[in-house]
Amino acid sequence: MTVLWDAWRRAGIADIAERVVAGERIDDASAQRLLACGETSPVGALADLVSRRKNGLRGSFLVNRYLNYSNICLLSCRFCAFYRREGQPGSFLYSVEEMADQAFESWRSGAVEVHCVGGLHPKLPFSYYRDLVSAIKERCPGMMIKAFTAVEIRHMARRIARRPIPEVLEDLAGSGLDSLTGGGAEIFDAEVRDEICRGKETAEEWLEVHRIWHRLGKKSTATMLFGHVETPAHRVDHLRRLRELQDETGGFCGFVPFAFEPANTKLSHLRRASAMDTLRTVAVSRIYLDNIDHITSYWISSGLSLGQIALSFGADDLHGTIEEERIFHMAGSKTPVGQTANALAAAIRESGREPVARDTYYRIHPVIGPPQETVGVGA
Ligand code: SF4
């Protein structure tokens, strides 16, 4: 510990480290100082200490499948390379049966979760979303369904079904939806949203959807898209709003910060967040969000090598196998579109953690569905 204290003193963060080591919550000003710290390693060491206290040496990953039902969208967020208008080349829409078939293939090869999002389609009826969830649940017994951002939920409720959000969420939960996704949060600050995703739901509206979902006894994850036009103060403001809602509901099971991928977007002139910035953001998220159990290192955004390093900077989870990621890759991401379970387990082990396969709620997952060949954590 003496070496660590020396490092924290040299980096000018010993006063913050004292509070963190004592198990106290840090304030916004301290979080901003950590984000601005010129030395990343001492911030990472502090976050690693918090992470080990919460989760020991466990490093989790998920055998999952990403499925996008459609990229047709009413909005045109400036950071997004995924959306298309109806009829535009490259637009797609899968039927419920096609989606269920794809989910079934993954379930057969051992996926424990399907993760499903799309654009804000102007015409799909609410029954499509409900049928999508129930069809996957029926074809893939035991597989957890994590689907729809808060933005999609509000779109379904306000523009499509014209029904109150609680009713829409109850319907989807009744059809078998296990978790909302954390997407659509971006950065909560109103001015930043106006610049990068004008017309999208406000922070309050995003948070309200998750609040209602949590009150139904359900879990979700939260995300933050950083590294575009926001300032460090905006990142901390984002974390503060999540921490406040988590104090209220306790419904977030994990937090996933990921860096903006500028290529092919209307913000392509921006530089991608550096590795150090990414690591500091993961670390500060771990330290600040003392009421969220798990911090996920999103290898799809960072690449597996940096994602692996983040496991020593506060993250305790390496997300999932994914199989086929589209949203980041349409924005020019050079990372693979998927990983094998064994590759994730090996990366976790190499980082000094013990690989553990988990489910959507970050629980060590029970064996479900057909015999699984891919989730062995020792290979
Ligand atoms: S981020 Fe989502 S809501 Fe915005 S344009 Fe892309 S698909 Fe549409």
Side-chain angles (χ1 to χ4, degrees), residues 256-270:
V256 193
F258 44 78
F260 168 56
E261 189 67 58
N264 305 334
T265 74
K266 290 176 183 145
L267 297 171
S268 58
H269 57 285
L270 297 177

Side-chain angles (χ1 to χ4, degrees), residues 91-139:
S91 62
F92 66 87
L93 167 63
Y94 290 112
S95 68
V96 166
E97 292 69 31
E98 288 170 322
M99 290 288 288
D101 284 347
Q102 293 180 68
F104 179 73
E105 287 308 314
S106 300
W107 175 77
R108 240 184 8 187
S109 55
V112 299
E113 176 200 274
V114 65
H115 178 292
C116 198
V117 292
L120 308 182
H121 196 286
K123 294 189 194 134
L124 279 179
F126 180 57
S127 56
Y128 173 90
Y129 302 98
R130 221 176 26 207
D131 293 350
L132 176 62
V133 173
S134 52
I136 293 175
K137 212 60 175 183
E138 199 180 308
R139 294 279 306 277

Side-chain angles (χ1 to χ4, degrees), residues 71-83 118-120 151 186 197 200:
N71 62 348
I72 296 168
C73 187
L74 289 169
L75 291 185
S76 38
C77 300
R78 293 181 73 212
F79 64 82
C80 178
F82 173 71
Y83 77 91
L120 308 182
V151 177
E186 327 310 0
C197 55
K200 204 168 201 169

Side-chain angles (χ1 to χ4, degrees), residues 51-355:
S51 176
R52 283 169 192 246
R53 260 189 203 158
K54 279 194 180 289
N55 295 299
L57 282 177
R58 163 186 156 144
S60 53
F61 68 96
L62 174 68
V63 179
N64 67 344
R65 169 77 188 263
Y66 269 24
L67 287 178
N68 301 113
Y69 54 89
S70 175
N71 62 348
I72 296 168
C73 187
L74 289 169
L75 291 185
S76 38
C77 300
R78 293 181 73 212
F79 64 82
C80 178
F82 173 71
Y83 77 91
R84 297 288 183 274
R85 299 283 185 244
E86 208 172 358
Q88 193 182 344
S91 62
F92 66 87
L93 167 63
Y94 290 112
S95 68
V96 166
E97 292 69 31
E98 288 170 322
M99 290 288 288
D101 284 347
Q102 293 180 68
F104 179 73
E105 287 308 314
S106 300
W107 175 77
R108 240 184 8 187
S109 55
V112 299
E113 176 200 274
V114 65
H115 178 292
C116 198
V117 292
L120 308 182
H121 196 286
K123 294 189 194 134
L124 279 179
F126 180 57
S127 56
Y128 173 90
Y129 302 98
R130 221 176 26 207
D131 293 350
L132 176 62
V133 173
S134 52
I136 293 175
K137 212 60 175 183
E138 199 180 308
R139 294 279 306 277
C140 314
M143 184 157 75
M144 297 185 80
I145 304 175
K146 180 175 182 177
F148 312 129
T149 65
V151 177
E152 287 168 274
I153 295 293
R154 281 188 58 87
H155 170 71
M156 287 174 212
R158 280 189 324 146
R159 297 195 189 94
I160 305 294
R162 295 177 191 275
R163 290 169 57 198
I165 292 169
E167 274 185 23
V168 163
L169 288 175
E170 272 173 34
D171 253 17
L172 292 171
S175 302
L177 183 64
D178 294 292
S179 173
L180 292 183
T181 73
E186 327 310 0
I187 284 282
F188 284 145
D189 178 81
E191 282 180 20
V192 171
R193 290 183 94 72
D194 204 37
E195 200 171 335
I196 66 168
C197 55
R198 185 171 297 168
K200 204 168 201 169
E201 275 64 12
T202 64
E204 291 72 25
E205 289 166 339
W206 188 97
L207 291 162
E208 183 60 10
V209 169
H210 284 265
R211 178 181 287 111
I212 296 167
W213 182 247
H214 295 169
R215 282 186 182 152
L216 294 176
K218 295 289 189 176
K219 302 275 185 197
S220 62
T221 49
T223 63
M224 175 170 74
L225 178 73
F226 65 91
H228 39 85
V229 303
E230 90 289 359
T231 64
H234 291 138
R235 292 186 200 176
V236 175
D237 170 71
H238 189 96
L239 297 178
R240 180 182 50 73
R241 295 186 201 220
L242 291 175
R243 192 167 76 174
E244 285 171 0
L245 181 57
Q246 182 72 345
D247 277 343
E248 189 185 321
T249 66
F252 290 121
C253 48
F255 177 65
V256 193
F258 44 78
F260 168 56
E261 189 67 58
N264 305 334
T265 74
K266 290 176 183 145
L267 297 171
S268 58
H269 57 285
L270 297 177
R271 283 183 58 190
R272 201 182 187 287
S274 68
M276 287 302 169
D277 189 16
T278 300
L279 291 174
R280 271 197 309 278
T281 304
V282 169
V284 173
S285 302
R286 175 60 291 162
I287 296 166
Y288 187 90
L289 296 173
D290 58 350
N291 54 2
I292 296 185
D293 285 342
H294 301 286
I295 303 292
T296 286
S297 168
Y298 196 52
W299 67 261
I300 275 284
S301 157
S302 64
L304 192 54
S305 300
L306 185 57
Q308 184 186 34
I309 295 169
L311 293 172
S312 302
F313 281 73
D316 60 281
D317 178 75
L318 203 45
H319 206 275
T321 50
I322 290 176
E323 281 190 46
E324 193 187 359
E325 201 285 336
R326 287 191 184 192
I327 294 176
F328 271 79
H329 287 84
M330 285 173 83
S333 174
K334 301 287 185 291
T335 62
V337 294
Q339 296 283 352
T340 64
N342 286 342
L344 293 182
I348 291 167
R349 183 174 297 103
E350 205 182 9
S351 76
R353 287 182 172 261
E354 291 158 9

